[in-house]
Amino acid sequence: MNPATHARWCVHPQLVPGEALSWWLHRFAWANAISNHTLLARMMAGQPFWPRDVDRFASLDMLAVIADHLDVDPPILVGATLHRYEGTLFPRLTLSGWLPWIMPVGVFHRTHRHRGHAFCPRCLGEGRPLRISGRLAFEVACTRHQCALLDACPYCDAPITFSRMSLAQVGRYRCAVCGGNLAAASSRPLNALAKAFEHRCHRVLRQGRAPLAGEMIPASTYFAGTRMLLRGLYARARLNGVTDSAVRRSLRWPRDQARPTTPFEHWRLTDRMRALGALENYLHDWPDAFLRDAARSHAYRCRFDDGRSPTPAWVAVVLDQVAPSRNSL
């Protein structure tokens, strides 16, 4: 480290474990009374940075430059980006395109088009940092306050661009679109099953493996399999979903609500809670309840297997007991 680079900053806020890199850089700039763009311009020599998905776009080389200027160990910065989930939630972090379990933010100039970073308004009001885990599609609950997270402004429903938010006064974080105070938003009810699934996933991330049906499954295989199962929970086009005739009626999709047709990572948080709750219900006594509801709903194996990626063994052995396709019967 170069001690001269550290001496230039009047204030040096510490990176909190689990904090998102984008939020920490935002805090660092505000603490030193400069803008986000000024901070990065000094480090990146004019290379565009903020008009990107920062937590995904920052390469290892960029992180090394930031670490040198801000006097932080590079591995700590890597843990503040989506690089920390490489090899577990997805094989390799790409700068664009779909990634399983990662919600996209959809950067367009200085704004975001997708609601890709969930947050707890009460944590925000208490001055707690925005967490990198808010980008995960299974992150739906705040365990500290026992409430559901928000994925957009609660007043105008616009996607939140946190790098455009003023940090001058703790407890007042205004939406860049309507000016509403995000920290003052009321809490929303939480789906207990979805919360249990989120807890299960974080335990798998910590331990690197998942206990399921008496076996220990590697984390990467577990997340690949659960993501595959999500495809077949609800009906789409002419194919039935497992939950269409579920014994537990609360798992069925409400008939008066349209079902999302986009990839799961694009779904709104309330819809994701419903799907994750159903997935937790089936994993709790895997695979008995799953096979029972699959038979009741006449779901086909092709509802789960898209044919583009290999089926994990722990899922394949169960799907072998599901009807292969409509045409094969």
Side-chain angles (χ1 to χ4, degrees):
M1 296 294 176
N2 185 356
T5 60
H6 175 73
R8 294 185 313 184
W9 307 108
C10 298
V11 184
H12 201 291
Q14 296 299 306
L15 180 64
V16 178
E19 182 177 7
L21 173 69
S22 56
W23 185 257
W24 179 65
L25 291 176
H26 190 33
R27 286 201 301 121
F28 200 103
W30 270 93
N32 287 275
I34 59 177
S35 71
N36 296 330
H37 296 279
T38 299
L39 175 68
L40 271 302
R42 292 183 180 181
M43 295 187 289
M44 296 299 173
Q47 182 178 357
F49 190 85
W50 283 111
R52 301 285 192 276
D53 180 352
V54 172
D55 300 316
R56 179 176 180 175
F57 170 76
S59 65
L60 297 180
D61 291 338
M62 287 183 176
L63 294 178
V65 173
I66 295 173
D68 183 59
H69 280 79
L70 302 187
D71 195 19
V72 182
D73 291 332
I76 296 179
L77 289 188
V78 172
T81 68
L82 295 177
H83 284 282
R84 68 183 298 168
Y85 303 115
E86 194 171 43
T88 304
L89 297 184
F90 45 82
R92 185 175 61 87
L93 181 64
T94 57
L95 299 184
S96 61
W98 171 79
L99 283 176
W101 295 113
I102 302 299
M103 296 186 295
V105 295
V107 176
F108 181 72
H109 296 294
R110 297 180 61 220
T111 63
H112 292 171
R113 292 183 295 180
H114 301 313
R115 298 161 179 85
H117 204 143
F119 66 97
C120 172
R122 296 177 62 182
C123 286
L124 205 60
E126 294 171 0
R128 301 185 185 280
L130 204 68
R131 302 181 64 82
I132 188 63
S133 60
R135 295 294 304 277
L136 305 180
F138 57 75
E139 189 83 0
V140 296
C142 174
T143 55
R144 178 179 296 274
H145 297 107
Q146 299 299 313
C147 64
L149 302 179
L150 299 180
D151 62 351
C153 174
Y155 310 107
C156 67
D157 201 40
I160 302 299
T161 306
F162 291 100
S163 61
R164 298 179 61 196
M165 187 185 301
S166 173
L167 302 181
Q169 183 178 0
V170 174
R172 299 185 67 84
Y173 300 92
R174 297 198 174 277
C175 171
V177 177
C178 71
N181 184 11
L182 303 178
S186 58
S187 301
R188 298 186 178 181
L190 180 62
N191 183 312
L193 283 174
K195 175 189 171 184
F197 181 78
E198 175 188 325
H199 179 73
R200 179 195 294 266
C201 289
H202 281 298
R203 186 172 65 249
V204 174
L205 286 174
R206 290 193 304 269
Q207 299 177 352
R209 55 183 184 174
L212 196 62
E215 299 181 17
M216 297 303 295
I217 302 170
S220 58
T221 306
Y222 165 81
F223 284 110
T226 49
R227 182 60 183 84
M228 178 173 289
L229 291 175
L230 281 173
R231 300 192 190 107
L233 292 182
Y234 296 102
R236 186 180 302 173
R238 299 180 180 180
L239 296 177
N240 293 340
V242 170
T243 60
D244 286 358
S245 301
V247 172
R248 193 169 182 171
R249 291 181 176 272
S250 61
L251 301 182
R252 304 179 187 180
W253 197 276
R255 293 187 177 183
D256 59 344
Q257 295 183 18
R259 309 185 189 197
T261 58
T262 54
F264 177 75
E265 290 75 12
H266 290 255
W267 291 18
R268 298 301 304 273
L269 190 136
T270 52
D271 294 334
R272 284 189 282 114
M273 277 202 296
R274 178 181 291 112
L276 295 176
L279 187 54
E280 171 63 23
N281 175 76
Y282 293 129
L283 292 178
H284 182 69
D285 61 349
W286 179 262
D288 298 339
F290 175 82
L291 291 174
R292 178 195 61 208
D293 284 351
R296 285 170 57 92
S297 62
H298 303 289
Y300 299 106
R301 175 169 179 156
C302 57
R303 242 341 244 114
F304 306 90
D305 192 352
D306 61 359
R308 296 192 296 268
S309 54
T311 304
W314 70 274
V315 176
V317 70
V318 175
L319 292 185
D320 286 342
Q321 303 176 56
V322 178
S325 71
R326 180 190 299 270
N327 296 330
S328 63
L329 297 180

